[in-house]
């Protein structure tokens, strides 16, 4: 029992350490030419390529001694208190090699434990905890089932490919929050409205360029809620656990007249979807069996293309 407790405590501590370290935030006014993320109204009409209907949500309850320990690196000696969580997490660089056994359910269970902790201690609100987790890349995840390579979709640049067979419903990879955008009102995302940009501890000071993310990298953006979205940095493609921002759409849409054709082609070509995991991470999940070497495609949705089409 003692060994199980130590593993569970480390797993919780590793997640807590990403939260107790403050994110860095900036207020940025978007340039008038920026294309914008979908607002809450469009999200409710299915204009986003995030499948909110199939998000992974678990009841937030105490789960000590009950959660599986696979999917994360081996724990160091058990900590004596939460203050040491940061140093503990940084020491977990075990020789896991290319271990690849993390599941969606296990990941959701970890987030449920973290949310329950802060709900009990009332030291941080759920929104702040979820925001900080969205803007985090977790270390030492056993998730290495895809790779980045030139896409087979014409003109798409890099794409995402399966490095092993992936089963229907299986976790493929995670969508990184290398920058998190937050709007105060949660609805009005017009260029005249300032947006908060948050960076997690994994983003170096040199890479914390809010203007670059807001005005140049919106093609790598995915909405996480009505008031927040995350952006993956296309320069970061070495971590197989966080490659969701490289999945392309099988089709494109440039006008309202092309909508029906686009929806048919895009949905037919999609073999994955982007889902929310406890509101704390975005993940790519397989919609069908994906064979080794297949390109992983996702339907961005009509709204994505229209909000980014030329005026």
């Amino acid at each position: 029992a003692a060994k199980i407790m130590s593993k569970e405590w480390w797993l919780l501590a590793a997640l807590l350490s990403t939260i107790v370290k403050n994110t860095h935030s900036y207020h940025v006014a978007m340039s008038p030419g920026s294309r914008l993320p979908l607002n809450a109204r469009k999200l409710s009409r299915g204009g986003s390529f995030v499948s909110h209907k199939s998000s992974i949500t678990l009841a937030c309850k105490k789960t000590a001694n009950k959660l599986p320990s696979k999917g994360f690196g081996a724990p160091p000696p058990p900590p004596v208190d939460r203050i040491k969580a940061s140093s503990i997490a940084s020491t977990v660089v075990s020789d896991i090699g290319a271990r690849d056994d993390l599941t969606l359910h296990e990941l959701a269970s970890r987030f449920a434990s973290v949310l329950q902790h802060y709900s009990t201690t009332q030291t941080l609100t759920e929104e702040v905890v979820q925001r900080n987790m969205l803007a985090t890349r977790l270390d030492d995840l056993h998730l290495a089932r895809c790779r980045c390579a030139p896409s087979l979709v014409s003109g798409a640049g890099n794409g995402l490919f399966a490095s092993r067979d992936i089963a229907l419903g299986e976790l493929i990879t995670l969508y990184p929050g290398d920058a998190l955008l937050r709007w105060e009102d949660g609805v009005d995302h017009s260029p005249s409205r300032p947006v908060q940009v948050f960076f997690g501890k994994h983003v170096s000071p040199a890479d914390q360029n809010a203007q670059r993310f807001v005005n140049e990298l919106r093609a790598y953006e995915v909405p996480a809620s009505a008031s927040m979205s995350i952006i993956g940095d296309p320069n970061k493609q070495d971590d197989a656990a966080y490659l969701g921002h490289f999945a392309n759409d099988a089709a494109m849409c440039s006008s309202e007249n092309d909508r029906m054709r686009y929806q048919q082609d895009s949905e037919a070509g999609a073999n994955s979807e982007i889902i929310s995991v406890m509101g704390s991470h975005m993940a790519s999940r397989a919609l069908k069996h994906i064979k080794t070497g297949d390109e992983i495609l996702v339907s961005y949705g009509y709204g994505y293309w229209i909000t980014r089409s030329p005026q």
Side-chain angles (χ1 to χ4, degrees):
K3 287 185 177 180
I4 296 177
M5 277 295 291
S6 67
K7 285 184 179 182
E8 295 303 334
W9 177 242
W10 168 74
L11 290 169
L12 181 59
L15 292 176
L16 292 175
S17 70
T18 68
I19 296 175
V20 296
K21 290 197 172 188
N22 293 330
T23 54
H24 304 279
S25 65
Y26 304 81
H27 279 79
V28 178
M30 296 183 190
S31 64
S34 298
R35 297 306 313 203
L36 307 173
L38 306 174
N39 60 30
R41 179 176 60 82
K42 288 181 180 176
L43 280 173
S44 68
R45 292 186 348 195
S48 162
F49 63 102
V50 177
S51 179
H52 292 283
K53 292 182 179 179
S54 54
S55 61
I56 303 297
T57 305
L58 300 178
C60 293
K61 58 184 178 180
K62 293 182 179 179
T63 53
N65 295 330
K66 295 181 180 180
L67 299 179
S69 59
K70 69 176 184 177
F72 292 76
V80 295
D81 55 48
R82 189 170 69 86
I83 302 301
K84 295 182 179 180
S86 179
S87 61
I88 292 163
S90 65
T91 65
V92 185
V93 187
S94 58
D95 55 343
I96 64 171
R99 289 182 61 180
D100 181 36
D101 52 14
L102 180 63
T103 67
L104 274 170
H105 185 270
E106 182 181 6
L107 187 64
S109 298
R110 304 306 175 206
F111 290 134
S113 296
V114 173
L115 291 169
Q116 175 61 35
H117 170 86
Y118 283 102
S119 175
T120 301
T121 62
Q122 297 186 340
T123 51
L124 289 176
T125 66
E126 181 174 281
E127 179 188 2
V128 171
V129 173
Q130 290 176 326
R131 183 192 70 200
N132 286 9
M133 292 309 305
L134 282 166
T136 294
R137 285 189 182 225
L138 297 172
D139 295 329
D140 204 31
L141 296 179
H142 294 180
L143 185 56
R145 55 203 69 163
C146 60
R147 60 185 174 82
C148 182
S151 176
L152 301 178
V153 179
S154 178
N158 284 327
L160 190 62
F161 293 82
S163 52
R164 67 160 173 81
D165 285 3
I166 300 173
L168 167 67
E170 189 174 4
L171 171 65
I172 299 173
T173 188
L174 300 171
Y175 204 104
D178 297 320
L180 182 144
L181 277 54
R182 178 178 180 272
W183 290 263
E184 291 289 349
D185 54 27
V187 177
D188 186 1
H189 300 172
S190 59
S192 61
R193 302 285 293 181
V195 58
Q196 285 182 295
V197 183
F198 292 85
F199 294 103
K201 69 182 182 68
H202 72 281
V203 182
S204 68
D207 290 333
Q208 292 179 16
N209 185 336
Q211 293 288 354
R212 171 176 174 258
F213 280 94
V214 170
N215 294 322
E216 299 177 19
L217 299 182
R218 304 301 291 280
Y220 296 92
E221 176 184 15
V222 61
S225 70
S227 62
M228 294 186 293
S229 65
I230 57 175
I231 301 177
D233 189 339
N235 290 337
K236 300 181 185 298
Q237 54 181 272
D238 296 328
D239 184 359
Y242 287 93
L243 291 179
H245 53 317
F246 288 106
N248 289 313
D249 196 331
M252 296 177 62
C253 183
S254 58
S255 69
E256 173 69 33
N257 295 334
D258 198 32
R259 180 173 184 171
M260 185 168 294
R261 191 278 315 164
Y262 161 75
Q263 290 178 331
Q264 292 175 345
D265 292 349
S266 179
E267 292 173 7
N271 55 14
S272 70
E273 62 180 344
I274 301 295
I275 63 170
S276 172
V277 183
M278 298 297 296
S280 302
H281 255 47
M282 306 304 291
S284 175
R285 178 171 65 180
L287 286 174
K288 59 185 72 172
H289 177 75
I290 302 173
K291 296 181 180 179
T292 303
D294 284 355
E295 181 162 7
I296 296 165
L297 301 169
V298 61
S299 178
Y300 291 0
Y302 162 78
Y304 173 91
W305 293 107
I306 292 304
T307 59
R308 288 160 173 82
S309 64
Q311 295 285 354

